[in-house]
């Protein structure tokens, strides 16, 4: 499935201007059909899966309790 720049920007929650920059920097693959760029949506699937994986990992790490520091002395 191919997306326009506007549709791809909405899909990734970024501005159209940023999407064009990423295309020009060749960080996102796109085809220019003579009038506009079209972007294959499948290239984002792996990236979005990795982002979800890292979000879960960060949530797990953030939910772990902080261990007590053995070097802290009781002032009482």
């Amino acid at each position: 499935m191919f997306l326009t720049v506007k549709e791809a920007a909405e899909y990734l929650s970024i501005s159209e201007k940023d999407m064009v920059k990423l295309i020009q920097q060749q960080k996102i693959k796109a085809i220019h059909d003579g009038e506009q760029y079209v972007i294959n949506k499948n290239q984002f699937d792996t990236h979005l899966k990795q982002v979800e994986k890292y979000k879960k990992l960060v949530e797990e790490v953030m939910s772990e309790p902080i261990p007590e520091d053995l070097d802290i002395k009781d002032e009482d």
Side-chain angles (χ1 to χ4, degrees):
M1 175 179 187
F2 286 92
L3 304 172
T4 63
V5 171
K6 181 178 180 179
E7 292 168 338
E10 289 174 2
Y11 183 70
L12 296 177
S13 302
I14 62 173
S15 70
E16 289 182 50
K17 185 178 177 180
D18 289 339
M19 177 62 70
V20 172
K21 279 184 188 178
L22 291 171
I23 292 169
Q24 290 171 343
Q25 295 169 353
Q26 298 181 344
K27 293 184 178 181
I28 292 178
K29 296 178 185 176
I31 300 168
H32 194 267
D33 69 358
E35 293 181 20
Q36 64 182 354
Y37 286 107
V38 289
I39 300 133
N40 189 340
K41 184 179 177 182
N42 294 335
Q43 68 181 304
F44 304 123
D45 292 342
T46 303
H47 172 72
L48 293 174
K49 286 177 186 175
Q50 288 176 344
V51 167
E52 288 300 318
K53 178 182 166 185
Y54 289 120
K55 279 184 182 178
K56 288 179 183 177
L57 180 64
V58 168
E59 288 174 5
E60 288 175 12
V61 170
M62 296 299 289
S63 66
E64 289 181 10
I66 299 173
E68 279 191 42
D69 189 2
L70 299 175
D71 294 336
I72 296 178
K73 295 180 181 177
D74 190 12
E75 295 292 325
D76 289 339

